[in-house]
Amino acid sequence: MTHSSAQSDAPTKTNLLQPGKTIGIVGGGQLGRMLTREVRRMGYRAVIFTDEYPPSPAGQLADREINAPYYDPEATAEFVREIDVATLEFENIPAEFLTAVAQRVPVYPSQHALTICQNREKEKNFLRNHSIPHADFRVVDSGVSLGTAVDELGLPCILKTAAFGYDGKGQRKITQAEDWDTVWREFGASRGVVEQWIDYQCEVSVVCARSIAGDISHFPLAENIHVNQILDTTIVPARCTDGELEKKAQALATEIAVALDFVGTFCVELFIAQDGTLLVNEMAPRPHNSGHFTIDACRTNQFEQQLRAVAGLPLGDPALQSGVVMKNLLGDLWLSPTEAPDWSSVLAEPNTKLHLYGKRVGRPGRKMGHFCVLGEPETALKTADRLFTELLAQRRS
Ligand code: ATP
Ligand code: MG
């Protein structure tokens, strides 16, 4: 990490950023928005850098947003002049931009951690090199190597792009022998990873935070249900596990965070295989959709932990205050691209908290908001499903 001498009050092991200082947030989406809310609540300033048009979901709540391409040197200089530390809300940030920012202010997490988490090939190799359990995989770059990988791993398996995948984009399940040259050409990526298909019992995630001093704090294990490879529901406490498995998952997350020398909030997604073993699916170097429940159900939420970590503060208490079910609200529920559903039924439920991200246009698959139902998970799940079905019915009526 390069610090300029002008940044003498930058966070170090012995020096923290007090409220009043400015947190730079790279990215303008909903994760940046929820981070911004915590930043301002605690008396810090928030400045967003995004290549989106204003007002971005995060920019709507921030003190300032800078809207420019990531290669714009003047906008980058303006950003670093305003801020005391930088953090991020998405991982596909051009390396040149972060390098330029890191020359003037500390950036957490580090470029090194980001480089590994933003590329599936590097991420899988990292897991293999650190003997962290994961689904067997092969790296492919042609129809021939794809055919060999499928032969070695067996069917079914799943082909994923090495770079720029999210919400299941750039993925293709392979269930039978095909013409591999055609599959590879149509897939359209220059490099990919083929993974063994895991017939899992359940998907879970661990969100944790690591401070500059190296302290680590974990949120409780979350059970995740995906629909069309996009997170649909998170249930906490997870039903499909016991305390033992939770400890193991948290230990794996700690091992990864320490090996990456990670600072900030971090998420590890895992599969619980049929025989009960844990396999790491992927890592996110930032707060995660499966950690949104922490806002309504934990004493400290994943965004406050991110702020605390990057500002050099001690981490907060992550204790769960209530069972909770989080349900994602995608643009598929919108009545037209600009017309949101009527929220009356959600708003009428006293134990339910609605979160909307300030996005003007609802497109299929786009994350527009979420709600959390607090309470014992089985009951909360019934309420969440009923509310969701009612929202969906508006679309169909
Ligand atoms: P995101 O970053 O939004 O979590 P992504 O595009 O990086 O998504 P993955 O997490 O790799 O994608 O996969 C999305 C979902 O697809 C997983 O949560 C899981 O439900 C399913 N999936 C992915 N890989 C496998 C696998 N090897 N076996 C079984 N299911 C899988
Ligand atoms: Mg994932």
Side-chain angles (χ1 to χ4, degrees):
M1 181 79 49
T2 323
H3 299 180
S4 80
S5 54
Q7 295 294 323
S8 57
D9 54 358
T12 64
K13 284 187 191 352
T14 55
N15 192 2
L16 53 81
L17 286 181
Q18 294 280 349
K21 296 289 182 187
T22 303
I23 313 295
I25 301 171
V26 185
Q30 64 269 15
L31 300 175
R33 180 184 178 92
M34 291 182 265
L35 172 60
T36 296
R37 208 175 73 132
E38 296 306 310
V39 166
R40 297 201 63 172
R41 178 176 64 78
M42 288 177 66
Y44 292 86
R45 294 182 71 245
V47 175
I48 310 295
F49 193 108
T50 175
D51 63 356
E52 279 186 62
Y53 289 108
S56 67
Q60 290 165 19
L61 305 190
D63 292 88
R64 190 172 170 208
E65 86 178 303
I66 297 172
N67 309 83
Y70 288 104
Y71 50 77
D72 183 329
E74 274 166 35
T76 309
E78 206 176 321
F79 181 57
V80 294
R81 258 200 309 276
E82 285 236 9
I83 64 177
D84 296 291
V85 64
T87 186
L88 45 101
E89 65 109 47
F90 79 118
E91 54 269 40
N92 291 325
I93 302 167
E96 301 72 25
F97 173 79
L98 280 184
T99 306
V101 175
Q103 276 163 4
R104 305 293 306 173
V105 294
V107 179
Y108 301 115
S110 70
Q111 184 87 258
H112 168 68
L114 207 63
T115 306
I116 291 169
C117 298
Q118 73 187 175
N119 181 286
R120 214 181 282 278
E121 177 182 347
K122 292 198 172 84
E123 185 177 58
K124 295 279 174 193
N125 284 328
F126 170 89
L127 295 174
R128 181 185 274 164
N129 294 340
H130 288 81
S131 307
I132 290 165
H134 56 276
D136 199 7
F137 71 95
R138 299 287 183 277
V139 175
V140 294
D141 61 2
S142 65
V144 174
S145 56
L146 173 61
T148 310
V150 176
D151 282 345
E152 288 175 9
L153 295 170
L155 290 169
C157 52
I158 183 165
L159 170 62
K160 303 179 178 182
T161 53
F164 299 116
Y166 70 98
D167 288 346
K169 291 185 175 65
Q171 299 197 2
R172 189 184 190 282
K173 188 173 176 181
I174 297 174
T175 53
Q176 57 186 17
E178 294 182 58
D179 179 56
W180 303 123
D181 282 331
T182 310
V183 172
W184 183 249
R185 207 172 39 247
E186 286 174 2
F187 193 62
S190 55
R191 287 179 88 77
V193 167
V194 185
E195 264 174 51
Q196 228 171 21
W197 185 258
I198 305 298
D199 179 24
Y200 53 79
Q201 284 180 39
C202 167
E203 286 193 81
V204 292
S205 59
V206 181
V207 176
C208 63
R210 185 164 179 270
S211 71
I212 295 172
D215 295 327
I216 295 192
S217 140
H218 302 96
F219 289 104
L221 193 69
E223 172 181 346
N224 298 318
I225 300 172
H226 290 80
V227 174
N228 298 328
Q229 287 159 315
I230 303 181
L231 183 64
D232 180 77
T233 308
T234 296
I235 303 163
V236 184
R239 299 166 304 172
C240 53
T241 157
D242 51 31
E244 230 10 68
L245 211 65
E246 176 166 48
K247 281 205 200 82
K248 273 191 205 157
Q250 291 178 336
L252 286 173
T254 298
E255 208 179 320
I256 295 171
V258 170
L260 291 172
D261 195 15
F262 195 87
V263 174
T265 291
F266 180 76
C267 176
V268 180
E269 296 177 47
L270 309 105
F271 300 125
I272 303 180
Q274 292 299 341
D275 64 1
T277 36
L278 281 168
L279 299 169
V280 172
N281 172 29
E282 61 170 356
M283 293 105 77
R286 50 168 170 77
H288 194 257
N289 194 170
S290 68
H292 290 355
F293 75 88
T294 62
I295 298 177
D296 297 314
C298 292
R299 197 165 281 154
T300 307
N301 69 53
Q302 61 168 347
F303 301 99
E304 181 177 339
Q305 291 293 52
Q306 182 179 12
L307 166 62
R308 285 176 165 275
V310 306
L313 314 184
L315 297 175
D317 177 1
L320 189 70
Q321 306 293 287
S322 161
V324 57
V325 170
M326 191 262 347
K327 199 92 183 155
N328 260 348
L329 299 166
L330 302 183
D332 308 59
L333 289 169
W334 261 232
L335 308 179
S336 78
T338 52
E339 192 185 353
D342 177 341
W343 302 109
S344 302
S345 56
V346 178
L347 297 169
E349 204 59 52
N351 291 331
T352 300
K353 299 285 186 184
L354 178 65
H355 300 251
L356 292 172
Y357 304 151
K359 299 183 184 178
R360 305 261 147 91
V361 179
R363 282 188 300 272
R366 189 173 194 208
K367 289 175 177 168
M368 304 297 287
H370 69 270
F371 65 75
C372 281
V373 183
L374 297 166
E376 183 273 315
E378 286 302 341
T379 318
L381 190 56
K382 284 200 186 92
T383 308
D385 283 340
R386 176 176 55 75
L387 292 173
F388 191 81
T389 307
E390 283 169 16
L391 290 172
L392 206 58
Q394 293 182 34
R395 179 78 218 248
R396 290 183 180 145
S397 63

